[in-house]
Amino acid sequence: MSFTYPDLGWSSFFAAQAAVDPHLVPFRIAAVHRDRLTGLSPHSEHPLLAPAGQTTGGFAVGDWVLADDTNRITQLLDRRTELKRRAAGTDAQSQLIAANVDVLFITSSCNADFNPARLERYLALANQAGCYPVVVLTKADTCDDPRDYVTQAEALAPFLTVLPVNAHDGEDLRRVAEWCPAGQTGALLGSSGVGKTTLTNGLTGSADATAGIREDDAKGRHTTTSRSLRRMTNGGWLIDTPGMRALRLLDAGEGVDAVFADLLELAAACRFSDCSHQGEPGCAIEAAIAAGELDPDRLNRWQKLQREDRYNSETVAEARARHREFGKMIKSVQRAHKGRKGY
């Protein structure tokens, strides 16, 4: 293994931050473990230790860090892009997915897995993070005509790049790799069973094991269990991620607006600035639906993502306060019914 820092994705953005101490060594995080990290330098791979008193949870695959001569990280460099989601649970905590990603490969399959609502969710994530989105429709060789899936995906956003691929076909793999040339970083996101591992194998020359899917609903099993940074055969870098059963958006309001820019433009023509698009007079969006120019399902998906992002983006304090108020309401109802028959 031998390459240069620019080959790894190093740029003036990171170099300016590293200039404070020339004795520290830059590393790119290739894997995050519970008690350590793996860092890449131009000539080798190193185990790295988190800063004293900190855990590895604040680091993401793709991060750039500075470490001292004991391989202890002393500084996490600012990220150019950051992919994150709301973590599971009731507290408003975020979970890092990847960092410093240039292109986000959003994977779906040309089968029952194809879901426009899920693709819009991933597109919002990409736009919020500042990554260029590319929709990769896998298993194009297994359906009669992938063009129907391509047309549906292209309708989700203007000028959206959509690539139907057979992950075992060299020419199809080349078309995907062209979007992540040498020195650039891509990330693969999608649900289990869409063929991310097969795609990763083809793009990186790896030979990871794959798993089948259920034939009735095209649902898959996890074969990738952790995130890792791998070099592609064309010199680019790829972050493969475990399949996501749920992507809960976090602080992604601008990303949602970017995906539904057509609806925002229509909403600007509504009579009332606070129009909810549910029966108000002079609603431009409802007029477009009535004229057959807008699918009402798209409006429903937009409003759902807006509500979800507002809910998921509340602060920890707001989340706890809401749960306290809900608890108080339950206790109040219980007290009111205490002593009644059946309570």
Side-chain angles (χ1 to χ4, degrees):
M1 178 172 59
S2 180
F3 33 78
T4 66
Y5 273 113
D7 290 339
L8 267 172
W10 186 257
S11 67
S12 58
F13 176 83
F14 303 110
Q17 301 176 62
V20 293
D21 189 342
H23 300 292
L24 298 176
V25 180
F27 290 95
R28 188 152 198 210
I29 300 300
V32 178
H33 310 282
R34 187 178 299 275
D35 59 346
R36 69 190 190 286
L37 304 104
T38 301
L40 291 179
S41 70
H43 301 293
S44 59
E45 184 176 289
H46 294 267
L48 300 176
L49 299 174
Q54 296 185 28
T55 68
T56 61
F59 297 87
V61 173
D63 269 331
W64 279 100
V65 300
L66 302 180
D68 59 24
D69 54 8
T70 68
N71 286 346
R72 173 78 65 178
I73 294 174
T74 63
Q75 183 179 346
L76 168 65
L77 301 186
D78 291 342
R79 299 164 177 142
R80 289 182 54 251
T81 61
E82 179 183 273
L83 292 166
K84 63 181 180 180
R85 63 174 176 174
R86 177 162 172 162
T90 56
D91 280 353
Q93 302 290 345
S94 64
Q95 179 187 32
L96 291 168
I97 301 172
N100 300 313
V101 172
D102 299 292
V103 56
L104 183 62
F105 293 115
I106 303 168
T107 56
S108 185
S109 301
C110 296
N111 56 24
D113 172 80
F114 184 85
N115 186 317
R118 187 190 304 136
L119 290 177
E120 287 169 340
R121 188 176 294 267
Y122 282 111
L123 288 170
L125 175 69
N127 279 283
Q128 188 68 33
C131 307
Y132 184 82
V134 174
V135 174
V136 180
L137 299 179
T138 60
K139 306 182 183 181
D141 54 310
T142 64
C143 67
D144 294 333
D145 188 355
R147 286 179 295 181
D148 178 54
Y149 294 101
V150 172
T151 300
Q152 291 184 65
E154 288 178 337
L156 299 179
F159 312 110
L160 180 62
T161 300
V162 181
L163 304 176
V165 303
N166 168 6
H168 297 286
D169 183 273
E171 180 59 26
D172 283 359
L173 291 171
R174 185 191 63 78
R175 290 192 299 119
V176 175
E178 284 180 344
W179 290 95
C180 187
Q184 298 284 297
T185 301
L188 276 175
L189 290 186
S191 55
S192 299
V194 299
K196 294 194 307 300
T197 300
T198 303
L199 195 58
T200 297
N201 287 344
L203 292 171
T204 64
S206 304
D208 291 350
T210 60
I213 60 171
R214 298 197 301 251
E215 294 299 329
D216 55 344
D217 60 3
K219 297 296 183 183
R221 293 170 289 173
H222 289 296
T223 51
T224 300
T225 57
S226 62
R227 301 175 182 90
S228 60
L229 181 69
R230 306 188 185 196
R231 196 177 193 190
M232 296 166 58
T233 55
N234 70 336
W237 294 90
L238 188 67
I239 300 175
D240 190 13
T241 66
M244 291 187 180
R245 292 188 177 90
L247 173 63
R248 303 204 296 174
L249 296 178
L250 179 69
D251 297 325
E254 292 181 3
V256 172
D257 287 348
V259 175
F260 294 92
D262 56 329
L263 296 187
L264 279 177
E265 184 176 353
L266 277 172
C270 290
R271 180 182 301 176
F272 302 109
S273 59
D274 60 348
C275 183
S276 66
H277 322 301
Q278 294 180 349
E280 292 94 334
C283 176
I285 285 183
E286 288 195 324
I289 292 174
E293 299 169 354
L294 176 66
D295 183 351
D297 287 342
R298 183 161 168 81
L299 170 62
N300 293 334
R301 297 196 301 266
W302 178 42
Q303 293 177 323
K304 179 182 178 180
L305 284 182
Q306 286 181 317
R307 290 193 300 269
E308 180 183 319
D309 183 64
R310 284 194 295 268
Y311 177 87
N312 287 341
S313 301
E314 65 183 357
T315 66
V316 173
E318 290 170 337
R320 290 175 177 168
R322 176 168 51 78
H323 286 288
R324 280 197 302 269
E325 289 301 317
F326 181 74
K328 290 179 181 177
M329 182 189 72
I330 295 297
K331 291 179 181 178
S332 175
V333 171
Q334 290 173 338
R335 285 195 299 268
H337 288 83
K338 188 175 181 181
R340 294 187 182 181
K341 187 176 181 180
Y343 287 86

